[in-house]
Amino acid sequence: MSSVQFHSVSRIFPEGGGIREFTCDIAEGEFFALLGPSGCGKTTTLRIAAGLETPDSGTVLFDGRDVTHLAPEKRNAAMVFQSYALFPHMNVFENVAFGLRARKMARPEMVSRVEESLELVQLAGMGKRDVTALSGGQQQRVALARALAVHPRILLLDEPLSNLDAELRFSTRQHIAELQSRLGITAIYVTHDQEEALALAHRVAVLKDGTCHQIGTPGEILHEPATPFVRAFLERQRSAMGYK
């Protein structure tokens, strides 16, 4: 696991959107959520951490090492995409093994890694299954297994539950939380779902229009909202939990 620091990171797009002057320190083993409405900059921030976007200014550090301009494959981070990004022409095993093949891992170790990862996500013995025949929840877990197979120090998750129904969202959310805790991996999780962020994360950054309004524990942002936007955005959750 690794710590992650964003120091005054900005990435603004000509057509609008992006992130402005984002600064945050994420501790080793922390589950950190980026929360906010669509277009607030949370996915841009995650993609900067992954190396899929280069900031216009600012720096990104992993364990104190500047990785701002480092290629994605050299960061020892893995990303789970909202769409899962599975390869339909590959079976479950081949999808999970994809990153290991790219690293030219010897087959015996690759097979062991894939089996280990499938067991972690409760899909043991399903390596030969066609991914297109799986349920949405199973496909999500294949995507998670593919990310875990490379033994990343940082796990990046972009709205991974948004395509699941309510029941599956809840059970998969619990599974992700248990996995993160058991593995001790540093996780950055993007979501627009307030309940999801507050249930999963140790700390939450609340974003709007590319600006970070508050970073704090779920209790802090509920009990002591730092701006009128945070108070309004979390009003439903605050009311449900008895906050005034």
Side-chain angles (χ1 to χ4, degrees):
M1 55 186 173
S2 295
S3 62
V4 181
Q5 293 84 39
F6 296 90
H7 291 167
S8 299
V9 168
S10 294
R11 177 72 170 105
I12 307 301
F13 299 102
E15 65 274 18
I19 189 73
R20 296 175 178 83
E21 295 293 320
F22 183 65
T23 294
C24 178
D25 289 351
I26 300 170
E28 290 187 10
E30 184 173 12
F31 200 124
F32 190 89
L34 297 166
L35 172 67
S38 296
C40 70
K42 52 189 187 292
T43 293
T44 298
T45 304
L46 195 74
R47 288 175 61 85
I48 288 171
L52 301 175
E53 292 282 352
T54 301
D56 301 323
S57 59
T59 56
V60 181
L61 306 177
F62 289 179
D63 282 338
R65 177 192 178 200
D66 188 343
V67 299
T68 310
H69 300 284
L70 196 65
E73 63 272 16
K74 296 182 179 180
R75 296 190 179 208
N76 203 5
M79 188 160 172
V80 178
F81 296 90
Q82 181 177 359
S83 63
Y84 314 145
L86 299 177
F87 300 105
H89 62 288
M90 297 180 181
N91 64 22
V92 169
F93 179 94
E94 291 166 337
N95 267 277
V96 177
F98 182 80
L100 305 177
R101 290 188 192 279
R103 289 164 172 77
K104 303 187 185 305
M105 181 174 287
R107 183 167 178 80
E109 184 180 0
M110 180 178 67
V111 170
S112 177
R113 286 275 195 98
V114 171
E115 291 176 348
E116 169 193 72
S117 299
L118 288 175
E119 187 171 351
L120 278 173
V121 300
Q122 300 174 357
L123 292 177
M126 295 184 67
K128 294 183 179 180
R129 293 282 296 274
D130 185 340
V131 292
T132 59
L134 302 180
S135 68
Q138 289 172 326
Q139 289 184 20
Q140 191 277 341
R141 283 185 280 159
V142 172
L144 184 57
R146 181 176 59 190
L148 295 173
V150 300
H151 287 184
R153 296 175 66 83
I154 301 163
L155 183 62
L156 308 170
L157 303 111
D158 187 11
E159 304 251 20
L161 309 183
S162 62
N163 294 324
L164 305 181
D165 61 36
E167 185 177 348
L168 265 178
R169 284 175 73 100
F170 181 76
S171 61
T172 307
R173 184 177 83 192
Q174 288 184 307
H175 186 61
I176 289 174
E178 290 166 3
L179 268 179
Q180 188 273 338
S181 178
R182 189 194 326 168
L183 298 174
I185 196 169
T186 306
I188 306 177
Y189 189 98
V190 161
T191 184
H192 66 276
D193 188 303
Q194 301 165 17
E195 181 180 350
E196 204 169 274
L198 298 174
L200 284 170
H202 301 134
R203 286 189 305 148
V204 179
V206 184
L207 308 178
K208 179 179 184 288
D209 295 334
T211 299
C212 182
H213 282 245
Q214 185 171 1
I215 296 173
T217 66
E220 287 168 346
I221 65 172
L222 283 168
H223 189 58
E224 300 174 354
T227 70
F229 166 72
V230 176
R231 178 179 290 276
F233 184 65
L234 293 167
E235 187 60 38
R236 179 172 58 86
Q237 291 298 320
R238 286 169 51 79
S239 297
M241 302 179 73
Y243 292 100
K244 297 181 179 179

